[in-house]
Structure formats: C-alpha cells, structure tokens
Amino acid sequence: PKAVSWRMALSDHAPAIGYLGIEIATQALGGFPLGRDHVDRLLHGFLAMVARRYSASPERDALRLAGNRSQVERALRFIEDNLHADFALNDVCLAAGLSTAHINRCFQSEVGTSVWQYVKARRLERARDLLNDTALSVSQIAAACGFASASYFTTSFRDRYGRSPVAWRGGVEA
C-alpha cells in the first residue's frame, strides 16, 4: 500500500519522475535484467529531474548545470560509440537521461549545436579520416560512418568540405 501511494503521488505531480522511479525499482527487484549501466543512466536522469522539480535552494541552478553537463557528456560518449550505427534521438536521450524536449537545449548550451548537427559533423570527420587513411570504397565508408546511402554521404561531404569524397581522396581541387 505505501509503495502504491508513493507511485501514485509521484505520477500525479511528475509523470516522468514517477515512471523512472518505477522503472528503477522494477529493474532492481528483477535483478537488473537490462544491466546496472542501464539502471545507472535511469538513476542519473531520475535524480536530475527530482533536483530540477523540487529543489528550491540557491544551489539548484548549479546542480542543474552540473547535471546537464554530465548528461551531455554521456550523450557525447553514446554518439562516439555508435557513429557507425543507425540510432534515434530517443537512444541518445536514454543514454543521457534527458527528455527529447530538453536534450537539444542542453546540447546547444554545452556543445553549441543540435544533436543531429553534431552527429552529422562527427560522421563526416570520421569519413574524412577514413578517406585519408584507408582504401575503403566510398560506399563502404558511408556505411561505416552511419550514412543511410552513399549518395547522401557524398552530398553531405561535398557541402562540408567543398569536394566530393573521391576528389578529396585524389587530392583534386574543387
């Protein structure tokens, strides 16, 4: 009964906090079926949300900024580890412990760009390095860097670097 009233109270006032609390408890009671790292990410998000919602102290803003910074760092790690993969914004949000509505604001504040602009820039930098250091084909590099198609990769690369990937590799000027 106490657990039910606790869940209901949190859910009535802050649905996201209630959801995370229930998910953390479920994971812990179930022996961490999704792993302790997953629960750590949930817990960081939970604590940040509680601090933002209920703290009325002058230290709240400092705590919020520090929390956002560590959450953005977790998002950056996730992105770096998954540059080659197809992932959604929700995957980045889960890794960071931020909502989809909040992640771009935090990213803009800490990194100076949106999540997807950052992902695209990092993928293009990785592709440029592969063009310089490997003999992989343009299609192979596009796939290895998480681009859905070689044509989109080529267009994006030309927009960023002023040359096509083939011209970049061959040292041809634009």
Side-chain angles (χ1 to χ4, degrees):
K2 286 183 183 180
V4 171
S5 63
W6 173 80
R7 281 186 265 188
M8 289 174 62
L10 277 178
S11 294
D12 287 346
H13 296 288
I17 292 171
Y19 168 79
L20 283 174
I22 292 167
E23 182 61 21
I24 292 165
T26 301
Q27 289 294 314
L29 293 172
F32 304 101
L34 296 178
R36 290 185 187 270
D37 287 342
H38 174 72
V39 174
D40 282 346
R41 287 192 301 273
L42 293 175
L43 190 56
H44 284 295
F46 177 82
L47 293 174
M49 286 181 188
V50 168
R52 280 194 302 267
R53 176 137 182 137
Y54 297 108
S55 176
S57 68
E59 293 82 17
R60 178 187 63 189
D61 290 338
L63 176 63
R64 183 179 50 79
L65 290 173
N68 288 346
R69 192 168 297 117
S70 70
Q71 289 169 314
V72 169
E73 288 169 1
R74 285 196 306 276
L76 290 169
R77 270 195 307 276
F78 175 86
I79 291 166
E80 288 300 317
D81 292 345
N82 293 283
L83 276 177
H84 65 283
D86 181 25
F87 57 85
L89 183 60
N90 282 341
D91 299 321
V92 180
C93 291
L94 180 61
L98 291 169
S99 70
T100 54
H102 194 58
I103 195 163
N104 273 320
R105 284 191 301 270
C106 293
F107 231 79
Q108 190 70 44
S109 171
E110 294 293 321
V111 182
T113 185
S114 75
V115 173
W116 287 120
Q117 288 171 334
Y118 178 82
V119 169
K120 186 176 178 181
R122 285 295 300 126
R123 285 178 170 170
L124 288 169
E125 289 167 7
R126 175 75 178 126
R128 182 197 60 209
D129 293 343
L130 290 173
L131 284 166
N132 289 337
D133 300 336
T134 72
L136 294 173
S137 71
V138 170
S139 295
Q140 290 171 319
I141 290 173
C145 294
F147 286 93
S149 71
S151 63
Y152 177 65
F153 163 63
T154 298
T155 301
S156 298
F157 193 91
R158 184 179 291 116
D159 289 347
R160 170 101 182 197
Y161 295 110
R163 297 188 254 174
S164 71
V166 172
W168 180 272
R169 177 176 273 161
V172 176
E173 290 298 319

